[in-house]
Amino acid sequence: MSWHEKAEVTNLSIGDIVLSYDINDEKIVEAEIVGKVERLYSDGKETFAISTGDYGITLTIFHILPYYHDGELIIDNSGTIEIGDELIIIDEDELSITREKVISTEKGVTDTQIVYHPKSSNGYYFVNRILLHD
């Protein structure tokens, strides 16, 4: 995959190269997909719909993501995100990073769904322009 090619997370294969982020150096990097997780979650697992207004994602409680809370980098599960926290967002056209404030969160539950996510060589990848940790 090239830097500008978009792909669904469920279509990624081991060996694909994706846009990622180096948390320590605060820069966009490439990462290789080195594994894939596919799990069936039964009814009743918590989900969180998180939105910045322009960007949004729904994650299970098991998803980890980096975000900023009062200026401090936090890497924790999606259930810890609060309104006002800042997500790390990529503009893949400009190859730049911004922080976008969370304006809403909505709690829900799964309904017997399969959850897919890749494992990357540096532990981070973008979905819907939002940085996630595998």
Side-chain angles (χ1 to χ4, degrees):
M1 307 185 87
S2 73
W3 274 62
H4 298 285
E5 185 180 342
K6 293 182 182 180
E8 296 291 324
V9 134
T10 56
N11 293 334
L12 292 175
S13 299
I14 293 173
D16 285 346
I17 303 298
V18 296
L19 288 176
S20 185
Y21 188 68
D22 184 314
I23 290 284
N24 297 321
D25 290 340
E26 297 183 339
K27 66 179 184 178
I28 297 169
V29 296
E30 290 182 330
E32 182 178 355
I33 299 303
V34 295
K36 194 171 182 179
V37 174
E38 183 177 328
R39 287 195 186 123
L40 176 64
Y41 288 112
S42 59
D43 290 338
K45 302 296 183 198
E46 288 181 298
T47 62
F48 297 88
I50 301 165
S51 175
T52 65
D54 291 330
Y55 310 105
I57 194 165
T58 300
L59 302 168
T60 66
I61 189 71
F62 305 107
H63 283 95
I64 306 296
L65 70 163
Y67 63 93
Y68 286 87
H69 179 81
D70 293 333
E72 179 184 348
L73 177 65
I74 307 291
I75 302 173
D76 206 342
N77 73 67
S78 61
T80 62
I81 298 271
E82 299 175 1
I83 292 173
D85 289 344
E86 296 175 316
L87 301 180
I88 299 169
I89 306 291
I90 189 171
D91 179 329
E92 65 259 319
D93 297 324
E94 297 293 324
L95 292 178
S96 62
I97 296 293
T98 58
R99 294 185 200 169
E100 301 278 336
K101 286 190 186 268
V102 172
I103 62 167
S104 69
T105 62
E106 185 177 323
K107 200 173 187 178
V109 293
T110 60
D111 56 354
T112 309
Q113 63 187 29
I114 295 176
V115 176
Y116 301 92
H117 67 84
K119 294 277 214 192
S120 69
S121 56
N122 79 332
Y124 296 95
Y125 58 94
F126 292 93
V127 175
N128 298 349
R129 297 190 177 194
I130 298 169
L131 186 65
L132 300 181
H133 187 310
D134 58 24

